[in-house]
Amino acid sequence: MNKQHNSGPKYDLETELKRWKGFLNAWNRPTPKIGATPREAIWKKNKATLCYYAPAEKKYNVPLFLVYSLVNQPFILDMAPGNSVIENFTRNGFEVYLMDFGIPGYEDKDISASDYVVDYIQKGVKRALRHSKADELTIIGYCLGGTLATMYATIAEEPIRNLILNVSPIDFEVVPFFDKLAQASKEDKLNINRLLDAVGLISGDSMKAGMRMVTNPIYFSPYLSLLNKAYDENYVEKWKRLKTWTDGHIPFSGAAMKELMNELGKKNKLIDGGLIIHGKKAELKNIHANLLVISTEHDRLVLKEQNMRVIDFVSSKDKTFLLEDGGHTTRANDRDLPSYLANWLPQRSEPI
């Protein structure tokens, strides 16, 4: 008689003990240090800081200017050595500037999206150009930061060589969530202006609850991911850092939310036209920079339909839309540029 052998995974008692010990201890462990790449604050305004990251060896004449979302803090771009977008850029020879908008307080409730564009991004770009002595720069926007970066690019007088938009909502003809509420707003059956005026500043907890309703109404998967690899201390540290970021939603200015929801969400003015930013017509046809638009297949927060049409409206001769595998969160490895940037960015950054 032939013996049958079980070819399934072997049970390892030592690994299982380490797994459960790591899982249970994860809740009491302090959050590991976040943001190890050396930086220098070169400009400040209100709560915002423009940070400069010097490359180990400068290889390109066109620096990078990163614009992150208003919803979370930007430290996800510099989590830890070996897991840092910013470290990756500097290791590959780029000067990097990061616009950190800071954490708004109630006194900032009247800062509009247009104010962020003109008083923070545009002034920050001018400061970065002076600091770097560069003739042009590359603007890279992440999520809502890409929306603001696009708004800026439509009115920019400063020289923008490249514009890169990462999973950034631009086109609101399609809304991926709360579609009935969005349609009611477009039909003037729902008016949120009074509510936003009364609240003034949307709390971080409210922003977090709204994002969870959209992306993970039943929030178990991160904990299952932790349990799956809790025997690996490096993984647990990485998980703790990411959990700190995902839980760290910050307050949102009521005036900025009102402008974004009315001018973009309701009237879709970045695509259809009619957006005015501090007296200037903000039209996509004003953008001439080399354009790279990146969307991801499994993003539940920003659908590909919300940015794939951008290239049809800009005046850029060099323009590309890429659909990558993955979700919404920015990914980084220890050394190489992401595949979608590895060739595109260096070729358009004027090598020294």
Side-chain angles (χ1 to χ4, degrees), residues 159-176:
I160 303 174
R161 167 73 71 91
N162 307 303
L163 175 63
I164 301 174
L165 306 178
N166 282 278
V167 294
S168 301
I170 307 294
D171 185 355
F172 291 88
E173 182 176 319
V174 175
V175 179

Side-chain angles (χ1 to χ4, degrees), residues 152-202:
Y152 161 64
T154 64
I155 63 163
E157 299 172 353
E158 298 72 36
I160 303 174
R161 167 73 71 91
N162 307 303
L163 175 63
I164 301 174
L165 306 178
N166 282 278
V167 294
S168 301
I170 307 294
D171 185 355
F172 291 88
E173 182 176 319
V174 175
V175 179
F177 47 87
F178 306 142
D179 54 327
K180 292 184 179 180
L181 291 178
Q183 188 60 36
S185 176
K186 291 180 180 181
E187 296 172 356
D188 289 326
K189 296 177 182 178
L190 175 67
N191 190 323
I192 63 164
N193 292 341
R194 289 184 180 180
L195 174 61
L196 291 173
D197 288 338
V199 171
L201 188 77
I202 305 169

Side-chain angles (χ1 to χ4, degrees), residues 62-212:
V62 181
L64 311 180
F65 188 96
L66 313 186
V67 183
Y68 201 68
S69 175
L70 298 171
V71 179
N72 290 84
Q73 296 184 68
F75 63 75
I76 192 174
L77 301 179
D78 187 30
M79 296 288 269
N83 184 28
S84 169
V85 171
I86 291 174
E87 178 194 41
N88 210 330
F89 283 138
T90 58
R91 189 194 301 275
N92 281 276
F94 291 94
E95 289 185 294
V96 177
Y97 296 86
L98 169 67
M99 173 54 69
D100 182 348
F101 293 108
I103 301 176
Y106 185 77
E107 64 276 10
D108 303 308
K109 63 184 177 63
D110 295 322
I111 299 178
S112 67
S114 292
D115 293 335
Y116 278 117
V117 167
V118 175
D119 296 336
Y120 293 82
I121 296 176
Q122 187 167 40
K123 289 184 178 179
V125 165
K126 291 178 178 179
R127 184 68 184 87
L129 285 168
R130 289 200 302 271
H131 182 268
S132 66
K133 298 180 175 61
D135 295 327
E136 301 172 289
L137 47 65
T138 294
I139 306 286
I140 305 180
Y142 297 89
C143 189
L144 185 58
T147 309
L148 298 176
T150 303
M151 293 169 65
Y152 161 64
T154 64
I155 63 163
E157 299 172 353
E158 298 72 36
I160 303 174
R161 167 73 71 91
N162 307 303
L163 175 63
I164 301 174
L165 306 178
N166 282 278
V167 294
S168 301
I170 307 294
D171 185 355
F172 291 88
E173 182 176 319
V174 175
V175 179
F177 47 87
F178 306 142
D179 54 327
K180 292 184 179 180
L181 291 178
Q183 188 60 36
S185 176
K186 291 180 180 181
E187 296 172 356
D188 289 326
K189 296 177 182 178
L190 175 67
N191 190 323
I192 63 164
N193 292 341
R194 289 184 180 180
L195 174 61
L196 291 173
D197 288 338
V199 171
L201 188 77
I202 305 169
S203 71
D205 286 341
S206 296
M207 294 299 298
K208 176 180 174 181
M211 294 299 102
R212 288 282 167 82

Side-chain angles (χ1 to χ4, degrees), residues 67 140-150 163-172 270 292-296 299 301-308 310 321 328:
V67 183
I140 305 180
Y142 297 89
C143 189
L144 185 58
T147 309
L148 298 176
T150 303
L163 175 63
I164 301 174
L165 306 178
N166 282 278
V167 294
S168 301
I170 307 294
D171 185 355
F172 291 88
L270 259 180
L292 177 62
V293 181
I294 303 152
S295 189
T296 54
D299 192 341
L301 191 60
V302 179
L303 302 181
K304 60 181 182 292
E305 288 81 6
Q306 290 193 281
N307 54 29
M308 65 189 303
V310 175
F321 174 81
H328 187 74

Side-chain angles (χ1 to χ4, degrees), residues 169-317:
I170 307 294
D171 185 355
F172 291 88
E173 182 176 319
V174 175
V175 179
F177 47 87
F178 306 142
D179 54 327
K180 292 184 179 180
L181 291 178
Q183 188 60 36
S185 176
K186 291 180 180 181
E187 296 172 356
D188 289 326
K189 296 177 182 178
L190 175 67
N191 190 323
I192 63 164
N193 292 341
R194 289 184 180 180
L195 174 61
L196 291 173
D197 288 338
V199 171
L201 188 77
I202 305 169
S203 71
D205 286 341
S206 296
M207 294 299 298
K208 176 180 174 181
M211 294 299 102
R212 288 282 167 82
M213 288 177 66
V214 173
T215 57
N216 290 290
I218 302 176
Y219 199 65
F220 291 141
S221 58
Y223 305 106
L224 294 176
S225 298
L226 173 63
L227 179 59
N228 187 47
K229 287 192 173 182
Y231 56 82
D232 184 338
E233 290 192 6
N234 290 330
Y235 180 85
V236 173
E237 286 198 355
K238 185 176 180 179
W239 186 91
K240 288 280 287 186
R241 290 188 182 98
L242 185 59
K243 187 70 164 58
T244 300
W245 176 79
T246 56
D247 286 344
H249 288 81
I250 58 179
F252 204 104
S253 156
M257 181 65 76
K258 185 164 65 172
E259 182 180 6
L260 291 171
M261 294 191 71
N262 287 324
E263 299 298 282
L264 274 61
K266 180 179 179 180
K267 300 176 183 177
N268 206 18
K269 286 187 176 182
L270 259 180
I271 292 292
D272 295 338
L275 181 65
I276 303 295
I277 298 176
H278 283 208
K280 295 182 178 181
K281 291 184 179 180
E283 299 178 335
L284 289 176
K285 69 180 182 180
N286 296 337
I287 297 177
H288 295 267
N290 302 323
L291 177 65
L292 177 62
V293 181
I294 303 152
S295 189
T296 54
E297 190 70 55
H298 307 295
D299 192 341
R300 297 176 60 183
L301 191 60
V302 179
L303 302 181
K304 60 181 182 292
E305 288 81 6
Q306 290 193 281
N307 54 29
M308 65 189 303
R309 288 204 300 160
V310 175
I311 63 173
D312 297 331
F313 292 86
V314 299
S315 299
S316 309
K317 294 181 180 179

